[in-house]
């Protein structure tokens, strides 16, 4: 007795069932891939494009007298703005020309005031407490 016809019959019936499963499961197998792309869009692509638009808006709004910080960390005041070139006054007699895209941030008065507040003023309660704790640590070490 030959088992070959039985194998062929079993293979035909299993392939027909598998073809039906693949056709129906094909669309479902793409759902995780689509979900990953959507998540990547909201977590990576959209915030980056939003930041890029804000940076472009900031660069377009540059004007004479703005205090800026370059990507190299140079602080200065804008003295002239051309199409792609910004002239920044760093010192009384030093002016440097930068490409407009080299400007990292425009320093506003509110931002500068908050930076000074974080450093702590001599009359500031937190600064006084920190100084007292340092003095106590020194006294304990002796």
């Amino acid at each position: 007795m030959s088992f070959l016809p039985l194998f062929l019959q079993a293979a035909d019936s299993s392939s027909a069932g598998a073809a039906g499963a693949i056709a129906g499961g094909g669309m479902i197998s793409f759902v995780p891939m689509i979900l990953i792309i959507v998540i990547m869009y909201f977590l990576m692509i959209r915030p980056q494009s939003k930041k890029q638009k804000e940076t472009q808006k900031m660069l377009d709004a540059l004007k004479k007298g703005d205090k800026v910080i370059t990507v190299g960390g140079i602080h200065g005041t804008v003295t002239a703005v051309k199409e792609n070139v910004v002239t920044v006054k760093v010192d009384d007699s030093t002016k440097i020309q930068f490409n407009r895209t080299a400007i990292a941030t425009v320093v506003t008065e509110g931002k500068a005031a908050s930076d000074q507040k974080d450093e702590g003023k001599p009359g500031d309660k937190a600064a006084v407490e920190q100084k007292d704790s340092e003095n106590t640590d020194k006294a304990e070490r002796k």
Side-chain angles (χ1 to χ4, degrees), residues 88-96:
V88 177
K89 182 178 179 183
V90 180
D91 196 15
D92 291 332
S93 62
T94 308
K95 292 182 181 179
I96 305 173

Side-chain angles (χ1 to χ4, degrees), residues 44-119:
M44 294 172 56
I45 298 169
R46 188 167 179 242
Q48 180 63 32
S49 63
K50 211 173 183 182
K51 183 178 179 182
Q52 188 175 5
K53 285 179 186 177
E54 288 175 4
T55 303
Q56 187 61 41
K57 186 177 176 183
M58 184 254 322
L59 292 176
D60 290 340
L62 274 177
K63 62 186 180 299
K64 185 177 178 181
D66 283 346
K67 295 184 185 226
V68 296
I69 302 173
T70 65
V71 292
I74 297 174
H75 295 243
T77 306
V78 176
T79 58
V81 179
K82 296 179 185 171
E83 187 175 331
N84 289 326
V85 178
V86 177
T87 304
V88 177
K89 182 178 179 183
V90 180
D91 196 15
D92 291 332
S93 62
T94 308
K95 292 182 181 179
I96 305 173
Q97 288 187 341
F98 289 100
N99 193 343
R100 192 181 278 259
T101 58
I103 304 298
T105 58
V106 175
V107 179
T108 59
E109 296 302 319
K111 189 175 185 181
S114 69
D115 290 345
Q116 289 176 354
K117 188 185 290 185
D118 291 341
E119 291 174 4

Side-chain angles (χ1 to χ4, degrees), residues 14-28:
S14 66
S15 66
I22 291 173
M27 294 301 285
I28 293 175

Side-chain angles (χ1 to χ4, degrees), residues 5-40:
L6 292 174
F7 285 131
L8 291 175
Q9 185 181 13
D12 286 340
S13 64
S14 66
S15 66
I22 291 173
M27 294 301 285
I28 293 175
S29 65
F30 284 115
V31 171
M33 186 93 123
I34 293 169
L35 264 165
I36 290 171
I37 292 170
V38 168
I39 290 171
M40 283 181 57

